[in-house]
Amino acid sequence: MKPVIAIYPGSFDPLTNGHLDLIERGSKIFDQLIVAILRHPEKAALFTVDERRQMLESMTARFKNVSVDTFDGLLVDYARSKGAGAVLRGIRAISDYEYELQMALMNRKLDRRLETVFMMPAEKYSYLSSRLVKEIFRHGGSVRGLVPKQVEERLRGKVRRVSPPQLSPSAREERLLRGKVVRVSRLRPASAAPRRKARL
Ligand code: PNS
């Protein structure tokens, strides 16, 4: 039987653990998997194509049937040039489905031999996206466990983090108390708080 070559296309800006999870799953069902980074002329990316390629190459080196490449133009043309018969895409939630279905059907219209295979990443990555990773990181949040360590380090060198707004001491106290039911009497020194009689 002819080996099945699949393309896993995307922006990978940056690579997340959700992408890696999908690459691992794909590597188990396809004979060869090509992770293809789109050279987006119109989309401003945080990482250059070379940087994204380096990160992907080093993080996928352990999968012997996985390679990394870049492409531009139509995906169907690129897939044909590689002798690929399948496109791998990840679906995290129903909200992804509409866009992915449209793309899969359009690709099939352009080349009826090209099949799109959808796979689900592990549930723990079902809310993860490159866009959110960049946003969280920029605002000083933790991205541990969401991206490989190497990507986290590169983000550190790349993104200027916006420091959280400085709160005045009274605003800080108020924030600490918010969410807790604190009686005003409890905030007074014990001696000053009026004593209530115990109800029998
Ligand atoms: O990770 P992304 O950004 O959602 O990936 C989108 C990608 C790269 C798969 C899609 O934009 C694509 O295939 N672009 C290549 C141009 C193309 O073929 N467009 C028609 C798709 S129906």
Side-chain angles (χ1 to χ4, degrees):
M1 224 167 72
K2 227 174 95 187
V4 181
I5 303 171
I7 310 286
Y8 178 31
S11 307
F12 306 103
D13 184 40
L15 167 71
T16 68
N17 285 342
H19 293 131
L20 274 180
D21 179 276
L22 215 75
I23 292 170
E24 180 164 9
R25 288 172 200 278
S27 74
K28 289 180 187 153
I29 64 164
F30 299 113
D31 297 299
Q32 204 190 321
L33 182 64
I34 304 171
V35 183
I37 309 164
L38 176 68
R39 293 195 294 268
H40 257 304
E42 77 278 6
K43 198 166 152 184
L46 176 63
F47 289 98
T48 66
V49 172
D50 277 348
E51 287 169 330
R52 284 179 268 163
R53 186 182 191 142
Q54 280 166 21
M55 287 186 265
L56 267 162
E57 277 174 348
S58 81
M59 296 313 302
T60 59
R62 65 198 154 109
F63 307 117
K64 296 302 160 224
N65 59 343
V66 174
S67 57
V68 182
D69 196 8
T70 64
F71 78 106
D72 55 16
L74 285 180
L75 177 62
V76 288
D77 292 336
Y78 173 73
R80 205 176 296 129
S81 75
K82 293 288 166 185
V87 170
L88 171 65
R89 290 288 288 174
I91 295 230
R92 293 160 298 187
I94 290 288
S95 48
D96 282 340
Y97 184 71
E98 220 170 304
Y99 168 66
E100 293 297 336
L101 176 74
Q102 185 184 26
M103 218 160 45
L105 293 179
M106 186 55 84
N107 280 332
R108 196 156 69 187
K109 164 105 181 83
L110 295 172
D111 185 339
R112 62 185 171 81
R113 290 163 305 173
L114 195 62
E115 288 296 344
T116 298
V117 176
F118 294 131
M119 292 184 88
M120 278 87 64
E123 300 92 289
K124 62 180 171 181
Y125 301 131
S126 59
Y127 51 85
L128 174 57
S129 74
S130 299
R131 184 182 65 79
L132 283 182
V133 163
K134 285 181 277 195
E135 198 170 306
I136 291 164
F137 193 84
R138 194 166 285 133
H139 292 280
S142 169
V143 294
R144 193 152 303 149
L146 303 180
V147 294
K149 267 239 137 34
Q150 194 192 112
V151 173
E152 195 180 335
E153 273 153 29
R154 291 229 188 190
L155 276 167
R156 215 164 278 136
K158 193 83 163 176
V159 179
R160 232 179 111 228
R161 302 185 102 177
V162 180
S163 42
Q166 291 300 306
L167 297 176
S168 65
S170 59
R172 208 177 304 130
E173 267 162 31
E174 197 181 299
R175 201 171 73 164
L176 282 172
L177 294 176
R178 215 180 293 142
K180 286 185 191 168
V181 180
V182 181
R183 292 215 180 94
V184 176
S185 61
R186 295 236 176 105
L187 296 175
R188 294 196 200 123
S191 57
R195 290 204 172 246
R196 286 210 186 136
K197 278 187 189 161
R199 259 198 210 159
L200 296 174

